[in-house]
Amino acid sequence: MPGRGRCPDCGSTELVEDSHYSQSQLVCSDCGCVVTEGVLTTTFSDEGNLREVTYSRSTGENEQISRSQQRGLRRVRDLCRVLQLPPTFEDTAVAYYQQAYRHSGIRAARLQKKEVLVGCCVLITCRQHNWPLTMGAICTLLYADLDVFSSIYMQIVKLLGLDVPSLCLAELVKTYCSSFKLFQASPSVPAKYVEDKEKMLSRTLQLVELANETWLVTGRHPLPVITAATFLAWQSLQPADRLSCSLARFCKLANVDLPYPASSRLQELLAVLLRMAEQLAWLRVLRLDKQSVVKHIGDLLQHRHSLVRLAFRDGTAEVETRGKEPPAWGQGQREGEVGNNSLGLPQGKRPASPALLLPPCMLKPPKRICPAPPVSTVTGDENISDSEIEQYLRTPQEVRDFQRAQAARQAATSVPNPP
Amino acid sequence: MASAPGPERDLRLLAGCLPLYPPPPPTVGLLSMEQQETYLELYLDQCAAQDDLTPPRSPLFNPVVPYGMYILNASNPDTAFNSNPEVKETSGDFSSVDLSFLPDEVTQENKDQPVISSRHETEENSESQSPQSRLPSPSEQDIGLGLNSSSLSNSHSQLHPGDTDSVQPSPEKPNSDSLSLAPITPMTPMTPVSECCGIVPQLQNIVSTVNLACKLDLKKIALHAKNAEYNPKRFAAVIMRIREPRTTALIFSSGKMVCTGAKSEEQSRLAARKYARVVQKLGFPARFLDFKIQNMVGSCDVRFPIRLEGLVLTHQQFSSYEPELFPGLIYRMVKPRIVLLIFVSGKVVLTGAKERSEIYEAFENIYPILKGFKKA
C-alpha cells in the first residue's frame, strides 16, 4: 500500500494488513516479512469502553453444553442403567433430551420439570423399542407426581412431534409376571403355592387376550387387568390348594403391590368366564359360581374363541336399534330370550342366551337420566328488566349490616384470647 | 389463433373445448361483465346440481373447465366470484382445501373399510359421505363453489393422475333433471343436518369474554353485590353468578370479564349483558365492547363401543391414547381445528370451537371414522 513504508527485507511497497488469529499485522506480500504487529491484548483503558453482554445473549449457550443440561444427560444415562436397558437405548434417550433442550421453553423450565423430562425421554425410547416400561414405574423411580409427569409427557411429545407407539401388552405381561416371586419355595411361599413360570405366563397371556377381546382393557390402566389375570391363572393351575388364597394375600406373597382396581377387574373377568361356561353343556349342569369356575379355566381358555362367539352377541347393533328405550342393558338375558327362540330346545336345557358384548361402562345403567335440554329461544338482545338486576344487589341497609358483621368477625379473629 | 390478447383469447379457446354439458356460453369473445357473471352463475348452478348426482369428471377429461375459470377469475377480479360471500370463505382456504364434499370414494364407502391412510387429504375424502346422502339445500352452493375453488387451487396439480383419487374419472351421462333440485340456500343453517345418523352434538358450555372498558373496584363490587365472591389471596377477580341464564363470570379490575356456563351463544351474550348491567348499577360506567365467544364445548353419544387401540393405530398423527393417563382418546382434528375426546362407551366430547358449525362439522368428520371401528 502506498504511503505505508517499505518492507525492510525486500524493499517492496506491497504491504498488506492481515490478522494472524486475533493479532493484526502488517505483512509484506512479496517476501512475507512481518513489518509491524498489533497488540494482542487490550489495555485497561481500552477495556473501559467495552460493554457487558449477558450470557444468555452471547453465543456461549449454543457453543457449550450448560451445566444443567450436562446434569440432565447424566441423569438419563443413570436411569437407563438402573433400569438395565440395552446400551442403544441410552444413546437414543440422550439424543431426545438434547433435542428437547434446544427449545427455549425447556431450557427455562424449572428443575422439577427437567427431572421429569429425563423420565419422559427414557419412556419414549422404551416405547419405541417395545420395551414395557410403565409410567407408574418411572414416576416411582423419579419420585414424581403422575399428573406432573403426564403434562410434561404430552407437552414433549407434541413439541418434538414424536410418534410414540402404545404400550405393548404382551411384553408387559411377560415382564410383570416374571416379577412375581412365586417360582421358588421360600419361607414366605409354601410349596403348594410355587408355580412353574412358563405355565403361568402362557395362561396369563391367554386370560389377558380374553380380557382384551371382551372390552375389559380398552380405556383402562393395563396393569390391574394383568394382576387379576395372573391371580386367576395361578389359582386355576392348582385350584384345590389355592382357592382359599385371596387376591391381596396373593400379591403380598408374590411381593408385588396390589393396584386398587385389580379386584374389580377380577370380578369382571370372572363374570366373562361364567358367561362362557354357560355355553359348555358339561359345565352348565354344574351351575358354577365365581369360586368354582376357576377350576375350569383351563377348559374355557382352550375353547375361548368359539365360546366368546357363542356367549356374546355383538352389542353394537343391539345398542343402536334400541334407540331411545329406557336403559336396560344389564338385562341382556331378557332381550336374548326374546330373540333366541329359534333353537327349539326345552327351556331348562337351552344354553344361556347371548349377553351383549359391551364395555362394562355401557352395561351399567346410567347414573342419571339426562333430559334433553329444552330448546331455548333466547336471542341475546332481550331487554333486561331493572328488577331482575336489582335482585342481585344489596340494599344500603344490608350493606351496612354486612360491613358491621365483617368488622365484628375481624375483631374476633384478631383478638387471640380474651384474658 | 386470435390476435386479441389475454383473457378474451382464452375464452374463445375455452368455448371451443368446453364439453357439451354444461352448455357453452351464449356468445364467445368479449363478454361483458354482467354476461360473465350470469354465465358464471349458470355454470355454477349446473355444476352444483351435477355434483350432487354424479361424480365430477376427472380433470383429465375437462381440464379446461377449471383452467378457464382460473383465467376468468384472474383477469376479472370483480366477477361474481368475489361478489359471492360464500366464495370469500372458501377461496381463502386453498392451503387446506376441503374436498370432503366430493363423492369420491363412493365405492370405498360401500366396501365399508376402515380408513387406513396417512395423508390427511385422502383421509378427508374417504371420511366424507357421498353427496347423494347429503340433503341438497344447505350445502349445494358450497359444493358448487367449493368445486371451483378447489379446482382453482389444484388446477395444475390435479392434472396429475396420482392426485385423482380425490376425483373419480367416471363421466356419466348428464342428468337433465339436475336443475330441478332445491334452490341454493345461503349459509349453514343453525340446526345442522346430520346426514350420517341423526345424532346432533349438544352444546354444553360456552366461554366468552367482553370488555367493560372501565377500571373496577372489586372490593366495592363484592360489598354491594349479593351474588359475588372475592378472595384476593386466592384469585384476583370477583366471581359473580346469576340464575338466569345459569352462568358464572370472572370480573377483573381492569374491566375485562369472562362469562362461562351458558348453553348457547345467545344465552352467553345475554348473560354477559346482565353482568355488565349489574356492574353498571353499582355505579361504574360499564360498556359492552368486543364481546367474543372464545370456546364452545359440545358432547354426544354415538351409541356403540369404540376400539380405541385400533383408532390410535390408524390415525396415529391425530390421536393420542394413553390409558395409563386418561381413559379417553384425544383426537386433534386439523380441519376444523377441534379437539375431540373419544371414550370407549361411544361418548364424544368436542371442544375448542369458536363457531357452532365447527362442532357439527367435526362430528360429521369423525362419525365415519368411528363407524369403522364399530365391530368388536
Side-chain angles (χ1 to χ4, degrees):
Chain A
M1 279 198 238
R4 280 294 192 106
R6 289 172 164 271
C7 167
D9 277 351
C10 62
S12 88
T13 49
E14 302 299 314
L15 297 178
V16 179
E17 188 146 326
D18 191 16
S19 56
H20 180 66
Y21 295 110
S22 54
Q23 190 182 21
S24 61
Q25 295 172 333
L26 207 57
V27 184
C28 167
S29 55
D30 287 341
C31 65
C33 156
V34 178
V35 179
T36 58
E37 279 182 333
V39 283
L40 195 55
T41 55
T42 51
T43 60
F44 185 68
S45 51
D46 283 347
E47 277 173 1
N49 299 333
L50 297 175
R51 227 178 291 159
E52 252 176 41
V53 178
T54 55
Y55 181 69
S56 56
R57 297 179 82 185
S58 71
T59 54
E61 251 183 342
N62 301 338
E63 279 161 19
Q64 63 200 63
I65 301 181
S66 67
R67 228 172 294 160
S68 161
Q69 191 178 359
Q70 278 175 354
R71 185 171 42 229
L73 294 174
R74 241 178 293 136
R75 290 285 293 151
V76 170
R77 286 189 217 275
D78 290 343
L79 194 59
C80 290
R81 271 176 222 143
V82 163
L83 292 167
Q84 295 175 335
L85 301 176
T88 45
F89 286 24
E90 214 171 291
D91 301 326
T92 322
V94 161
Y96 281 139
Y97 193 87
Q98 280 173 328
Q99 207 182 337
Y101 221 83
R102 279 191 215 120
H103 295 261
S104 57
I106 303 290
R107 263 202 308 268
R110 292 203 154 81
L111 281 178
Q112 181 203 32
K113 193 164 167 180
K114 286 177 178 151
E115 179 74 11
V116 173
L117 182 64
V118 166
C120 290
C121 294
V122 174
L123 178 72
I124 293 172
T125 313
C126 289
R127 283 278 192 96
Q128 290 183 333
H129 293 263
N130 271 340
W131 190 274
L133 185 62
T134 56
M135 292 187 185
I138 297 237
C139 288
T140 335
L141 280 173
L142 294 176
Y143 303 108
D145 216 359
L146 190 64
D147 306 320
V148 178
F149 187 90
S150 94
S151 64
I152 295 168
Y153 174 77
M154 303 299 265
Q155 186 193 351
I156 203 70
V157 168
K158 204 169 163 191
L159 197 61
L160 299 180
L162 295 172
D163 219 354
V164 187
S166 338
L167 196 56
C168 182
L169 213 56
E171 295 288 326
L172 183 61
V173 169
K174 285 188 211 140
T175 319
Y176 187 55
C177 274
S178 315
S179 71
F180 280 70
K181 304 257 180 307
L182 291 166
F183 311 121
Q184 278 172 333
S186 75
S188 50
V189 179
K192 57 182 179 160
Y193 285 171
V194 174
E195 188 49 70
D196 172 47
K197 189 162 154 181
E198 286 312 313
K199 274 201 261 174
M200 209 163 104
L201 261 179
S202 72
R203 194 162 275 204
T204 311
L205 260 171
Q206 288 174 348
L207 277 168
V208 171
E209 270 170 27
L210 176 67
N212 202 0
E213 216 182 300
T214 52
W215 293 104
L216 298 183
V217 171
T218 312
R220 276 106 167 255
H221 198 296
L223 212 63
V225 182
I226 304 178
T227 315
T230 314
F231 176 61
L232 276 182
W234 174 80
Q235 266 194 334
S236 66
L237 286 167
Q238 229 178 305
D241 300 318
R242 296 174 185 170
L243 264 177
S244 53
C245 183
S246 72
L247 178 61
R249 188 155 160 250
F250 169 73
C251 290
K252 221 162 101 183
L253 280 172
N255 202 14
V256 165
D257 285 330
L258 171 65
Y260 172 71
S263 33
S264 81
R265 297 296 161 264
L266 180 66
Q267 299 305 312
E268 286 166 3
L269 203 47
L270 283 169
V272 165
L273 288 166
L274 275 172
R275 285 229 178 270
M276 284 163 65
E278 303 268 289
Q279 299 297 318
L280 285 178
W282 70 91
L283 290 181
R284 209 179 315 132
V285 295
L286 291 176
R287 295 186 193 282
L288 298 167
D289 66 5
K290 288 201 166 147
Q291 292 277 317
S292 43
V293 74
V294 178
K295 298 182 216 149
H296 306 279
I297 284 185
D299 293 335
L300 291 173
L301 286 178
Q302 209 175 356
H303 309 283
R304 64 183 182 279
H305 296 298
S306 47
L307 283 178
V308 167
R309 228 179 311 126
L310 286 172
F312 297 100
R313 64 205 153 109
D314 191 13
T316 60
E318 194 61 36
V319 177
E320 283 204 320
T321 52
R322 200 95 52 66
K324 308 267 191 302
E325 284 172 37
W329 297 341
Q331 292 123 33
Q333 297 236 292
R334 194 155 25 99
E335 279 93 17
E337 271 164 19
V338 169
N340 219 12
N341 277 320
S342 54
L343 284 172
L345 291 171
Q347 192 80 7
K349 302 242 177 79
R350 200 177 60 182
S353 33
L356 290 171
L357 186 58
L358 289 174
C361 54
M362 288 179 88
L363 290 172
K364 287 183 240 166
K367 292 181 203 163
R368 53 194 163 137
I369 320 285
C370 306
V375 179
S376 77
T377 50
V378 174
T379 60
D381 293 314
E382 284 108 339
N383 278 333
I384 303 170
S385 64
D386 276 350
S387 55
E388 188 186 347
I389 300 297
E390 249 135 54
Q391 70 174 313
Y392 294 119
L393 301 177
R394 290 201 173 109
T395 62
Q397 176 62 32
E398 284 176 351
V399 172
R400 278 196 292 272
D401 291 340
F402 185 70
Q403 277 177 316
R404 222 176 302 142
Q406 263 195 326
R409 196 194 63 178
Q410 285 283 70
T413 51
S414 60
V415 174
N417 275 315
Chain B
M1 247 325 156
S3 52
E8 290 76 29
R9 175 185 66 191
D10 299 312
L11 276 176
R12 266 178 284 202
L13 244 181
L14 167 67
C17 310
L18 262 185
L20 278 176
Y21 180 88
T27 52
V28 179
L30 294 169
L31 291 176
S32 68
M33 197 75 82
E34 299 74 43
Q35 281 175 316
Q36 282 172 345
E37 283 184 14
T38 47
Y39 164 64
L40 194 57
E41 277 169 10
L42 188 67
Y43 177 79
L44 289 177
D45 284 355
Q46 293 173 344
C47 273
Q50 186 186 16
D51 285 347
D52 247 20
L53 299 179
T54 64
R57 301 176 200 183
S58 130
L60 294 175
F61 282 85
N62 57 351
V64 197
V65 173
Y67 184 65
M69 285 301 139
Y70 177 76
I71 296 297
L72 260 180
N73 192 34
S75 58
N76 301 305
D78 311 319
T79 53
F81 249 75
N82 288 340
S83 67
N84 218 320
E86 279 89 336
V87 186
K88 276 206 172 66
E89 277 188 279
T90 47
S91 57
D93 222 352
F94 291 165
S95 53
S96 57
V97 172
D98 181 7
L99 300 173
S100 52
F101 60 87
L102 290 176
D104 66 309
E105 322 295 273
V106 182
T107 46
Q108 251 196 25
E109 282 280 331
N110 296 339
K111 282 183 209 153
D112 197 34
Q113 283 164 0
V115 175
I116 304 183
S117 88
S118 51
R119 278 186 61 236
H120 178 53
E121 206 155 294
T122 43
E123 180 192 312
E124 276 215 273
N125 295 336
S126 7
E127 286 167 37
S128 69
Q129 303 290 317
S130 60
Q132 278 98 335
S133 58
R134 284 181 184 236
L135 292 188
S137 50
S139 25
E140 199 182 53
Q141 181 161 36
D142 293 346
I143 291 175
L145 295 168
L147 169 67
N148 282 296
S149 54
S150 71
S151 325
L152 285 172
S153 70
N154 294 348
S155 58
H156 300 292
S157 59
Q158 267 188 350
L159 294 176
H160 300 181
D163 270 354
T164 51
D165 44 338
S166 58
V167 183
Q168 286 293 0
S170 49
E172 292 169 42
K173 70 174 175 43
N175 289 337
S176 52
D177 56 333
S178 57
L179 289 172
S180 62
L181 282 174
I184 295 169
T185 56
M187 294 324 297
T188 39
M190 277 320 236
T191 49
V193 205
S194 49
E195 300 89 3
C196 36
C197 38
I199 304 176
V200 175
Q202 293 294 326
L203 286 180
Q204 301 291 348
N205 183 25
I206 313 267
V207 178
S208 56
T209 53
V210 73
N211 186 6
L212 301 176
C214 67
K215 293 270 168 281
L216 302 173
D217 181 356
L218 298 183
K219 270 205 162 61
K220 182 177 172 204
I221 295 179
L223 179 61
H224 287 267
K226 275 194 247 192
N227 55 345
E229 50 180 272
Y230 178 48
N231 194 344
K233 290 188 194 135
R234 238 183 71 203
F235 192 57
V238 164
I239 302 168
M240 196 182 284
R241 297 186 164 85
I242 57 173
R243 281 182 279 271
E244 183 55 46
R246 187 180 270 279
T247 49
T248 306
L250 301 172
I251 306 176
F252 294 85
S253 54
S254 60
K256 301 264 174 67
M257 183 171 83
V258 179
C259 173
T260 61
K263 298 273 188 216
S264 78
E265 304 91 315
E266 300 85 15
Q267 284 186 11
S268 192
R269 192 186 153 82
L270 181 61
R273 281 176 58 224
K274 288 192 183 174
Y275 288 114
R277 190 69 84 79
V278 170
V279 171
Q280 250 177 13
K281 283 232 185 284
L282 289 171
F284 298 96
R287 294 162 66 199
F288 195 75
L289 305 178
D290 309 325
F291 175 78
K292 183 172 177 215
I293 306 264
Q294 300 289 354
N295 186 27
M296 299 173 72
V297 181
S299 72
C300 58
D301 187 1
V302 300
R303 311 185 80 91
F304 53 80
I306 301 168
R307 284 276 171 207
L308 301 178
E309 313 92 7
L311 183 56
V312 78
L313 274 178
T314 51
H315 290 76
Q316 216 158 20
Q317 65 274 48
F318 305 111
S319 340
S320 155
Y321 170 54
E322 293 288 340
E324 295 175 79
L325 296 177
F326 188 63
L329 185 149
I330 304 170
Y331 191 100
R332 291 180 196 275
M333 196 175 280
V334 172
K335 189 181 172 338
R337 212 167 138 258
I338 301 279
V339 173
L340 298 96
L341 301 176
I342 303 169
F343 295 90
V344 68
S345 56
K347 304 242 177 4
V348 180
V349 174
L350 308 98
T351 182
K354 292 267 197 287
E355 301 264 319
R356 189 186 277 248
S357 56
E358 287 178 9
I359 296 222
Y360 296 143
E361 195 188 333
F363 181 65
E364 281 172 20
N365 288 348
I366 202 77
Y367 189 74
I369 300 177
L370 297 181
K371 259 186 22 174
F373 288 93
K374 208 161 97 168
K375 299 290 187 302

